[in-house]
Amino acid sequence: MQLKEQRRNKRPETFVSHLASGLSEMIEIGLTGGIGSGKSTVAAMFADRGAVVLDSDSVVRELQAPGTPVFAEMVSHWGDRIVQNDGTLDRQELASIVFEDPVELQILNDIVHPAHAIEMEKRRAIYVDTDTILVFDIPLLVEVGRGGFDGVVVVDLEPEKAVERLVSDRGIEEGDARRRMANQATREERIEKADFVVENGGTRADLANEVERCWEWIESLPER
Ligand code: ADP
């Protein structure tokens, strides 16, 4: 409700035209950034401002839970070696299988992607004809070339600083952080696809200011 009021105040003409047609339209934002850039932190800040965040990775994890069709298909292909003692997916083992073998990676994608696309669409559909700001948190947005957003926000951070934060805050081993980064798009490739860059080289307070600037930009976007 608060969000609705804010947007009503910001874009009176657009909103009035939607009132006239009896329809509202959501704003769809793609959010991405390299590992350690601060993407999850920014997603949480958007959620605090009233956005609905659809987290692509957590949807994948839900789809791969024991008992799901995706889990069954994965186990039928790779066998028990990808299942831990507690019956859940052994992500590390799966990662080591697909990491250096493009054929296995393609098989994994073929199993997971269709179910993922259906689930994301199902969650998106809930907000059609509302004036929700929907943020799709997609780590590999640039790598998979996903489009169709009203705007793409990229969280940008110097890779060395990202490694530092991942090691000190999240306890990730340095070599592991660097390997994961090497497997992702470069900083330049990501920025090239951005409609708005959120710079995260400063303090958390600086980041909050950047997010505020970005939120104002999002609210100024014309609805489709
Ligand atoms: P990502 O989701 O892009 O991998 P996170 O949002 O998890 O990145 O951020 C990586 C780490 O850096 C987290 O521990 C987070 O709390 C921390 N962090 C994010 N932004 C800042 C900042 N401006 N200053 C200091 N630490 C930060």
Side-chain angles (χ1 to χ4, degrees), residues 22-160:
L23 285 177
S24 305
E25 277 191 49
M26 56 192 173
I27 294 182
E28 297 178 77
I29 300 296
L31 171 66
T32 195
I35 178 170
S37 63
K39 181 183 56 61
S40 311
T41 309
V42 169
M45 289 176 170
F46 283 148
D48 284 346
R49 282 168 169 76
V52 170
V53 177
L54 297 186
D55 181 337
S56 173
D57 272 2
S58 74
V59 169
V60 169
R61 283 192 294 273
E62 283 177 40
L63 289 169
Q64 293 177 337
T68 62
V70 167
F71 182 83
E73 212 178 322
M74 288 168 66
V75 175
S76 107
H77 182 73
W78 287 292
D80 284 345
R81 66 183 280 212
I82 61 160
V83 183
Q84 304 186 107
N85 288 339
D86 66 0
T88 62
L89 182 66
D90 188 336
R91 291 180 190 283
Q92 220 155 0
E93 182 61 26
L94 182 64
S96 75
I97 293 171
V98 301
F99 195 74
E100 293 195 355
D101 190 335
V103 175
E104 299 287 17
L105 179 60
Q106 188 58 48
I107 291 168
L108 176 63
N109 286 340
D110 289 346
I111 295 173
V112 176
H113 280 180
H116 184 256
I118 290 169
E119 185 57 31
M120 291 295 276
E121 178 52 32
K122 207 164 100 190
R123 296 185 188 201
R124 171 189 176 274
I126 296 169
Y127 302 97
V128 169
D129 293 341
T130 72
D131 62 355
T132 304
I133 293 177
L134 206 52
V135 174
F136 292 79
D137 176 342
I138 307 182
L140 298 182
L141 185 148
V142 170
E143 290 82 345
V144 301
R146 164 88 205 262
F149 301 108
D150 297 307
V152 171
V153 174
V154 168
V155 184
D156 181 49
L157 178 62
E158 204 189 305
E160 282 309 307

Side-chain angles (χ1 to χ4, degrees), residues 1-20 23-29 49-51 129-134 150-151 214-224:
M1 207 49 215
Q2 198 189 355
L3 176 67
K4 207 171 208 173
E5 286 305 323
Q6 277 174 13
R7 290 185 55 192
R8 192 172 292 176
N9 292 338
K10 287 233 159 159
R11 292 175 294 133
E13 300 89 343
T14 331
F15 203 84
V16 167
S17 68
H18 279 102
L19 280 183
L23 285 177
S24 305
E25 277 191 49
M26 56 192 173
I27 294 182
E28 297 178 77
I29 300 296
R49 282 168 169 76
D129 293 341
T130 72
D131 62 355
T132 304
I133 293 177
L134 206 52
D150 297 307
C214 183
W215 187 252
E216 282 170 18
W217 170 75
I218 291 171
E219 290 194 311
S220 76
L221 288 173
E223 293 170 8
R224 277 184 295 185

Side-chain angles (χ1 to χ4, degrees), residues 34-41 165 169-170 200 202-204 207:
I35 178 170
S37 63
K39 181 183 56 61
S40 311
T41 309
R165 286 182 186 167
D169 296 10
R170 296 218 320 231
N200 191 20
T203 64
R204 287 174 196 274
L207 179 61

Side-chain angles (χ1 to χ4, degrees), residues 185-203:
T186 63
R187 190 180 182 188
E188 292 71 26
E189 286 164 339
R190 230 176 261 114
I191 288 177
E192 199 190 313
K193 297 281 184 258
D195 296 309
F196 195 105
V197 177
V198 168
E199 216 282 305
N200 191 20
T203 64

